[in-house]
């Protein structure tokens, strides 16, 4: 019976490949890879020749049956274009099928943009949620960030150079009291790590081709000043903001309570008196 080796490869600097990864890529019968050109470049740099099979998000499902059949007598390695396979990259479906068929999956650990960034972020809480690539549409992104804010963990995202500025604008508006750490070109020549503190001007991002890693520090306390006072209209405005984003009344109340630092009961009473009644009155007027 053959095995599937899940092999981590460099995220930038080719010297980061491990001795074990090299020996694995050399001995397997074939290597499954996202882009054969990228993997061929890596293999050439370390002096290895092997059979390359394209396995990407578009063909993974169709390739699984033939791989499952041949893995009974052959060993495969799976690699992504960079970093650890299966982390925001193709391969998950194949790995799951192989495990369900009681066949061997062997991880060959190594470079990962997620752990590399977190280790250099200075975050003090030691636990995080890795999200991957956020939604592209503005409303979907806002809704998802508001939901993630309730988790109370440091959050790690990947983002493309074309969308990173829009993402950072939305994130800073929602996580008003969070530090945001921005990583570009990790392990490469132009590597840069930027710390963006709350209420400061956004950092200038240089144009790059590679993806960004962004870490948003959790907010442990409600973002408000104890001396600040909010009137009923402030509460209604914030409730309506969450409702317009698609939150239920219950979640809008909870988020408003956390955001303004006001008691849940007070928010609930204002919601019933000034949001629900207004909504019911508007509905009645339209029907008549």
């Amino acid at each position: 019976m053959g095995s599937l080796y899940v092999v981590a490869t460099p995220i930038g600097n080719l010297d980061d490949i491990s001795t074990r990864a090299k020996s694995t890529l050399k001995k397997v019968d074939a290597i499954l890879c996202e882009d054969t050109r990228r993997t061929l470049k890596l293999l050439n740099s370390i002096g290895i020749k092997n059979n390359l099979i394209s396995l990407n998000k578009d063909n993974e499902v169709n390739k699984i049956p033939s791989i499952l059949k041949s893995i009974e007598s052959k060993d495969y390695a799976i690699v992504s274009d960079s970093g650890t396979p299966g982390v925001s990259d193709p391969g998950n479906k194949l790995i799951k099928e192989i495990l369900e068929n009681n066949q061997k999956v062997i991880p060959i650990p190594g470079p990962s943009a997620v752990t590399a960034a977190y280790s250099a972020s200075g975050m003090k809480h030691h636990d995080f949620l890795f999200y991957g690539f956020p939604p592209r549409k503005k409303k979907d992104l806002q809704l998802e960030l508001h939901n993630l804010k309730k988790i109370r963990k440091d959050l790690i995202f990947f983002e493309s150079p074309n969308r990173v500025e829009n993402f950072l604008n939305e994130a800073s508006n929602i996580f008003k009291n969070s530090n945001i750490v921005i990583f570009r070109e990790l392990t490469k020549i132009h590597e840069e790590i930027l710390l963006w503190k709350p209420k400061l001007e956004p950092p200038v991002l240089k144009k790059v081709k590679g993806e960004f890693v962004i870490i948003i520090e959790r907010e442990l306390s409600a973002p408000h000043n104890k001396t600040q006072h909010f009137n009923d209209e402030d509460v209604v405005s914030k409730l309506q903001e969450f409702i317009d984003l698609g939150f239920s009344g219950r979640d809008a109340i909870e988020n408003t309570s956390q955001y303004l630092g006001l008691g849940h009961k007070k928010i609930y009473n204002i919601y019933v008196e000034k949001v629900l009644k207004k909504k019911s009155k508007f509905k009645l007027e339209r029907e008549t």
Side-chain angles (χ1 to χ4, degrees), residues 17-238:
I17 192 165
S18 71
T19 302
R20 189 179 177 206
K22 288 181 185 179
S23 64
T24 301
L25 294 175
K26 186 176 181 179
K27 75 178 183 180
V28 294
D29 296 291
I31 301 171
L32 307 169
C33 49
E34 279 187 87
D35 186 333
T36 55
R37 295 166 300 180
R38 290 279 295 271
T39 302
L40 181 60
K41 182 179 179 181
L42 170 66
L43 294 185
N44 287 339
S45 73
I46 56 179
I48 292 176
K49 291 184 178 181
N50 208 327
N51 300 315
L52 300 181
I53 300 172
S54 171
L55 186 85
N56 52 53
K57 63 181 180 179
D58 298 318
N59 67 18
E60 181 177 2
V61 173
N62 292 332
K63 291 281 182 76
I64 286 175
S66 62
I67 295 171
L68 286 176
K69 185 176 181 179
S70 60
I71 204 172
E72 293 177 3
S73 58
K74 293 182 179 180
D75 287 326
Y76 286 94
I78 182 170
V79 298
S80 62
D81 284 347
S82 63
T84 302
V87 182
S88 281
D89 289 318
N92 304 75
K93 296 182 180 70
L94 173 62
I95 292 168
K96 184 179 179 183
E97 289 287 340
I98 288 176
L99 290 173
E100 288 182 348
N101 278 272
N102 296 315
Q103 291 170 305
K104 250 186 165 182
V105 174
I106 302 172
I108 309 296
S112 166
V114 176
T115 52
Y118 199 74
S119 71
S121 68
M123 299 294 172
K124 61 184 179 182
H125 306 110
H126 309 300
D127 63 334
F128 60 84
L129 182 148
F130 170 63
Y131 186 91
F133 288 94
R136 295 187 179 190
K137 293 182 179 179
K138 183 176 180 179
K139 186 173 181 180
D140 293 340
L141 174 60
Q142 291 174 333
L143 181 60
E144 194 69 355
L145 289 176
H146 276 295
N147 279 323
L148 289 169
K149 189 174 180 179
K150 296 186 289 186
I151 293 177
R152 301 299 188 212
K153 289 184 182 294
D154 299 330
L155 304 171
I156 303 180
F157 298 89
F158 290 161
E159 190 53 286
S160 76
N162 296 329
R163 298 190 297 271
V164 67
E165 289 188 7
N166 291 332
F167 173 81
L168 289 171
N169 286 336
E170 296 298 337
S172 64
N173 286 333
I174 292 169
F175 293 84
K176 293 182 183 294
N177 294 292
S178 290
N179 288 318
I180 299 176
V181 189
I182 304 160
F183 300 81
R184 74 176 191 96
E185 301 285 273
L186 272 171
T187 78
K188 299 177 185 177
I189 295 174
H190 301 293
E191 177 181 84
E192 188 174 24
I193 303 174
L194 302 170
L195 173 61
W196 184 11
K197 292 186 176 182
K199 300 178 179 62
L200 296 182
E201 289 296 314
V204 176
L205 301 178
K206 298 175 184 176
K207 297 295 181 182
V208 295
K209 293 181 180 179
E211 294 161 356
F212 284 77
V213 181
I214 299 163
I215 302 181
I216 303 176
E217 190 172 23
R218 74 187 69 185
E219 289 186 343
L220 291 180
S221 57
H224 72 286
N225 187 324
K226 291 182 179 179
T227 62
Q228 190 172 356
H229 297 285
F230 299 99
N231 58 38
D232 288 1
E233 292 309 310
D234 293 326
V235 175
V236 170
S237 175
K238 186 53 66 175

